[in-house]
Amino acid sequence: MRRHLAPRVSVSGQIQPRQISDLAAAGVTLLICNRPDREEPGQPTHADLAQAAESAGVRFRVEAFQGRPTPAAVEAMSEALADDAVIHAFCRSGMRSTATWAMAEVRRGRPVDEVLLAGREAGYDLAGLLPSG
């Protein structure tokens, strides 16, 4: 299920290659995969997804990680946001991708409260990203 975080940013859990043409038809111009290959049996490979993206005319970028977003993943999302791409990011559940977007937005100057609200409205609790204490 595609969830919108901003007008040109959506996230979801794992997508299948056959879904990429529908995302392209909906205006997506960049897919960002935040999920490592072979994280779970049966998930499509980066190569399969890249091939489907190329066929659909969509750029495909892999910034895979487990746990908290890596600096490289946050930088990739920041670059994508600055590029005016229509982004769909995905991972296992959408949470890693949402956290990556949130950290990139705060880095770009968006108020934390706005980012937390956008995540919450999309069904993701980002409060765990905040420093404790």
Side-chain angles (χ1 to χ4, degrees):
M1 174 175 68
R2 189 172 173 210
R3 299 176 186 196
H4 289 271
L5 298 171
R8 57 186 186 84
V9 180
S10 60
V11 296
S12 72
Q14 180 67 57
I15 62 171
Q16 298 297 318
R18 67 182 178 278
Q19 295 173 291
I20 293 176
S21 61
D22 291 338
L23 290 166
V28 171
T29 60
L30 174 62
L31 291 170
I32 300 176
C33 176
N34 296 129
R35 190 170 195 199
D37 256 346
R38 296 175 298 283
E39 184 177 51
E40 197 170 84
Q43 86 185 54
T45 65
H46 295 154
D48 291 340
L49 293 163
Q51 183 178 18
E54 184 178 343
S55 294
V58 175
R59 290 181 290 152
F60 181 73
R61 183 162 183 175
V62 176
E63 290 298 337
F65 63 92
Q66 292 180 310
R68 288 173 110 30
T70 64
V74 174
E75 179 62 26
M77 181 62 78
S78 293
E79 290 171 6
L81 292 167
D83 182 25
D84 290 330
V86 177
I87 303 160
H88 182 75
F90 64 95
C91 55
R92 187 186 62 76
S93 68
M95 184 63 193
R96 275 178 276 190
S97 297
T98 300
T100 303
W101 167 82
M103 293 173 80
E105 284 287 77
V106 169
R107 179 178 172 177
R108 290 166 40 87
R110 188 164 176 193
V112 171
D113 290 348
E114 283 183 23
V115 171
L116 293 174
L117 178 60
R120 193 167 38 255
E121 288 176 346
Y124 296 101
D125 181 2
L126 298 170
L129 291 177
L130 296 174
S132 57

